[in-house]
Amino acid sequence: MRLWVSCFLSLVAVVMSISTAKARELPNIVIFLVDDMGVMDSSVPMLTDAIGRPQRHPLNDWYRTPNLQRLADQGIRFSNFYAMSVCSPTRISIMTGQNAARHGTTNWIDPLQNNAGKQGPTDWNWLGLNRQSVTLAVLLRDRGYRTIHIGKGHFGPDQHEGADPTHLGFEINIAGAAWGQPGSYRGQSNYGRNRPAPNSIQQTVPHLEKYHGSDTFLTEALTQEACQQLEQSVAQQRPFFLHLAHYAVHSPFEADARFIDNYTQDGRSPESRAFASMIEGVDKSLGDLLDKLEELHVAEETLVFFLGDNGTDAPLGHQHAVACAAPLRGKKGAHYEGGMRAPLVVAWAGPCSQQLCQQALPIHAGAVQSQVASVVDLFPTLLGLSEAQNPAGHIVDGRPLDRLLSGLPDPDRPQQFLMHYPHGVHRSSYFTVWRDGDWKLIYHYFPTQVSGNSNYQLFHLGQDPAEQYDLATSHPDPLRKMVLELQRQLALHSARYPIDLETGESVIPLVPPPAHRVPESE
């Protein structure tokens, strides 16, 4: 009996040793997520000219992001990368690989009350994620990763499971909670604001008491916490998944004192200067993180995704104009490109072609990828890289980015994006966007002055990237084709629809009548 037990224990030790060795070979993963940072909020040009070369615009000369340039130089940037137009839908899409129309969290999550809107769907997923949810953090944790969440959560309302990232597969949670913005970015204000209950719950960032009363900006506090967690992961010899989700650059727009002097002589508003200083603070955070990875000698085996969670919220102009994301139109929450086009830069933190994990996922340094991709694609990409298994029954809408990351075109990849917002409590209300190739349809469930009192807006992004010329009336055949496909996509995703207040029934997109054709005999 003792011999049997001894042999069994020896076998267990061998298995554990093999498992540990395999775990050490896994690449480290960093998702560096910035709140409300759009595709134009950077000195790195993301948009391209007609032949795919990066093209600078005035906003690229306004912002200062040298560390993002550093990352782009050693990796690849995307010019047509999409997020959902508001935050919680995107964050859950990253964790699940599902479009918001499928996972059902189609609006930002109010921590205290259901914010469907007056005619929003009654069955939308206001509660967000829970312990039973299939998430990237769960699957990577089960694969052997040390899973770390730092910063903004916003995965579920207060007093529900999704409010705490440790219920969603993260072993470590620092600063993540139910709310989507801090009361303040200043340590002197304890990252909160004195307000009477019940609003006080939305004001103070948790777990950062050691910085209270200091002059440490919130972005810097989160960066210091992230670097400490990287040190602990390396000391434990465990691969890590770091989800660093900055609260910046969400309002309130409070100047980062370290950088505000770079933006004082331009004549712009105090809010826009504060926003720019916050962008530069995020960029410093990225640089500090890359430096820490090099210091710990793990840069070559660490993959970094830098992205925004929706379009820009820069306080530079009207929400539907070409201003905040110029040359694109619109901003966060809007149905135009400026509301849902986000930056994506992907790179190995220390490029090395001899590194085995980099050979498994080669990235074309300094390249620009112009094919359409979106936040749902991170999930299958990282599962493939880590050899984690997607559970049976969990539908994934995304596709791996491997070929696009290599700088090659992917002729089999659909150039499509679905953005579904059946709510009425943001800048644009009750709409669905469907992009297919260069064509973009905006369907308005309840026509307004913004849509010209029509259900339809149709743009050709190849010829009109600023969405200035609505072709819905002049191009009835493409319009009808796009609406039919929109209907099909919403049905495939089991989407929830706005409600008609008179009938209490769901409002489903209407297909326009066929264009009148004059018979040849006439």
Side-chain angles (χ1 to χ4, degrees), residues 138-270:
V138 166
L139 300 181
L140 292 179
R141 180 197 63 194
D142 293 348
R143 187 72 179 91
Y145 280 82
R146 185 170 186 257
T147 52
I148 309 159
H149 172 88
I150 296 179
K152 175 173 171 174
H154 214 189
F155 297 120
D158 190 58
Q159 304 300 315
H160 291 270
E161 292 178 349
D164 185 346
T166 62
H167 297 158
L168 310 176
F170 288 101
E171 297 177 34
I172 307 296
N173 169 43
I174 298 172
W179 48 95
Q181 68 183 85
S184 173
Y185 285 90
R186 298 191 174 102
Q188 298 94 328
S189 300
N190 298 342
Y191 310 119
R193 186 176 300 169
N194 293 324
R195 286 189 175 180
N199 292 327
S200 59
I201 194 172
Q202 302 181 54
Q203 299 305 312
T204 303
V205 178
H207 315 134
L208 299 177
E209 289 78 10
K210 67 183 178 182
Y211 301 97
H212 286 184
S214 73
D215 60 358
T216 309
F217 203 72
L218 177 57
T219 305
E220 176 66 16
L222 297 178
T223 305
Q224 291 183 21
E225 292 297 310
C227 290
Q228 292 171 18
Q229 290 299 322
L230 294 182
E231 291 176 353
Q232 293 182 29
S233 298
V234 173
Q236 295 177 21
Q237 296 187 328
R238 292 181 62 188
F240 55 82
F241 167 42
L242 171 62
H243 186 251
L244 176 54
H246 278 293
Y247 282 91
V249 288
H250 197 292
S251 61
F253 301 131
E254 296 179 337
D256 190 328
R258 299 170 296 173
F259 308 107
I260 190 61
D261 287 347
N262 294 330
Y263 307 94
T264 56
Q265 305 299 323
D266 68 319
R268 297 181 189 263
S269 70

Side-chain angles (χ1 to χ4, degrees), residues 35-36 84-96 98 100 103-111 115 124-126 128-129 152-157 177-180 309-310 332 375:
D35 199 355
D36 290 355
M84 306 303 149
S85 68
V86 290
C87 53
S88 295
T90 285
R91 292 162 189 274
I92 292 177
S93 289
I94 292 172
M95 284 295 121
T96 63
Q98 296 181 336
H103 63 62
T105 301
T106 42
N107 197 14
W108 63 278
I109 296 173
D110 187 308
N115 55 317
W124 79 289
N125 184 16
W126 172 61
L129 297 175
K152 175 173 171 174
H154 214 189
F155 297 120
W179 48 95
D309 70 340
N310 44 242
K332 171 187 176 181
V375 289

